[in-house]
Amino acid sequence: MGRVNVKNVSRVFTKKEDNGSMEALHEVSFDVEDGEFICLLGPSGCGKTTLLRIIAGLETQTSGEITLNGIPITGPDPKRGMVFQQYSLFPWRTVIDNVTFGLEMQGISKTEARKQVEKYIDLVGLEQFKNSYPYELSGGMQQRAAIARALANEPEVLLMDEPFGALDAQTRNILQDELLKIWEQKNVTFLFVTHSVDEAVVLSDKIVVMTARPGRIKEIVEVDLPRPRSRTSHEVNLLRDRVLKLLEEERFHK
């Protein structure tokens, strides 16, 4: 199960240089059902990444509460996997050794961990590259390895912070399609931060549109379109235009 409930979450940062403060998030509330694919979308600096890091347990909210299956989140946990924009692979470890890292940290032997992760390496299409080092891989392949590493812990929720933001358009589209296949196979809840309206419309069940800083929920857009979605269909274009207008409003309200 991967139900996430975000209730009245605010985050205020203290500025050391002038003893001032900056509110990044203001009373954010929304619910994520088990197995949903949710995209967080909003202007730069609206707190998307901060919110994701709080859900991951890497940061703490100033007020409010976030629960996973009714249990408050108070710190990192293997039940919540995280994939960053920068691939964050260990350069001295091969693909398979990178993917086993989380299991080894849980006390599982290297041999047993390697047996467990083979299916995830195969799932992301890196079976032939499992003994390669990160510098031998393209950016897209490195990100596949990072996704496999997150999945190897068998999380209930996978948190992704602009994971395809540094990739070229063609590779990005390919990995979007592959990610949806993984999501359908694994039935994991996905929370996915993106700056791309196109990406949000193609991937998600719901788009959580945030306001300019301090980040609030502007609107939650239901994406009631069958998959796979044509990126140029009339329905997709209508939805894209609707979301773009929401973001345009925030640009003028800054």
Side-chain angles (χ1 to χ4, degrees):
M1 296 176 64
R3 288 181 291 105
V4 179
N5 302 101
V6 180
K7 187 175 181 181
N8 297 327
V9 168
S10 297
R11 179 67 166 101
V12 178
F13 291 97
T14 301
K15 295 181 179 179
K16 294 181 180 179
E17 60 273 14
D18 59 4
N19 292 321
S21 63
M22 185 274 290
E23 188 176 28
L25 297 167
H26 182 76
E27 295 189 356
V28 172
S29 297
F30 63 93
D31 297 325
V32 183
E33 297 302 321
D34 184 31
E36 276 192 316
F37 199 125
I38 304 296
C39 279
L40 298 175
L41 184 71
S44 294
C46 74
K48 300 183 298 294
T49 293
T50 297
L51 179 57
L52 203 72
R53 288 177 63 85
I54 293 171
I55 296 171
L58 300 175
E59 291 190 27
T60 305
Q61 64 270 31
T62 305
S63 60
E65 183 179 61
I66 302 178
T67 61
L68 174 60
N69 302 323
I71 300 171
I73 291 172
T74 57
D77 191 293
K79 292 179 180 178
R80 284 166 277 120
M82 185 87 173
V83 179
F84 302 90
Q85 180 175 353
Q86 299 303 322
Y87 319 124
S88 61
L89 299 175
F90 298 120
W92 60 88
R93 281 182 166 237
T94 61
V95 166
I96 192 166
D97 288 337
N98 264 288
V99 177
T100 60
F101 179 75
L103 298 180
E104 291 175 42
M105 290 300 97
Q106 295 178 45
I108 297 173
S109 71
K110 189 170 183 176
T111 302
E112 183 59 33
R114 278 174 163 248
K115 289 179 185 177
Q116 290 189 34
V117 305
E118 287 278 0
K119 58 184 176 182
Y120 295 106
I121 292 173
D122 186 48
L123 187 65
V124 299
L126 289 179
E127 180 61 31
Q128 294 182 346
F129 300 91
K130 65 183 181 182
N131 294 315
S132 299
Y133 289 91
Y135 73 87
E136 298 175 301
L137 306 176
S138 68
M141 293 166 76
Q142 289 186 58
Q143 196 59 297
R144 289 183 194 181
I147 293 169
R149 181 175 61 187
L151 290 171
N153 288 317
E154 301 196 337
E156 296 172 359
V157 178
L158 190 57
L159 308 166
M160 309 188 82
D161 187 11
E162 294 192 74
F164 307 145
L167 304 176
D168 64 85
Q170 183 178 6
T171 303
R172 187 170 185 156
N173 288 349
I174 291 169
L175 286 186
Q176 287 168 4
D177 293 340
E178 292 184 358
L179 187 66
L180 283 174
K181 291 176 184 176
I182 292 169
W183 169 71
E184 289 168 353
Q185 287 183 45
K186 299 304 295 179
N187 193 33
V188 175
T189 302
F190 275 55
L191 270 163
F192 188 106
V193 165
T194 180
H195 273 106
S196 168
V197 174
D198 287 3
E199 189 164 64
V201 171
V202 167
L203 291 177
S204 58
D205 294 313
K206 293 177 186 171
I207 303 172
V208 177
V209 182
M210 298 180 68
T211 68
R213 193 169 66 199
R216 301 176 174 87
I217 301 300
K218 182 175 180 68
E219 188 172 327
I220 297 178
V221 178
E222 299 273 353
V223 186
D224 190 18
L225 298 175
R227 295 183 176 93
R229 295 168 186 161
S230 168
R231 300 171 195 274
T232 56
S233 72
H234 178 64
E235 294 79 9
V236 164
N237 283 331
L238 284 176
L239 192 59
R240 181 190 295 114
D241 288 346
R242 177 184 166 192
V243 176
L244 281 170
K245 285 177 182 176
L246 291 172
L247 294 176
E248 279 290 304
E249 291 171 7
E250 287 309 301
R251 187 163 69 90
F252 291 116
H253 288 170
K254 281 185 178 181

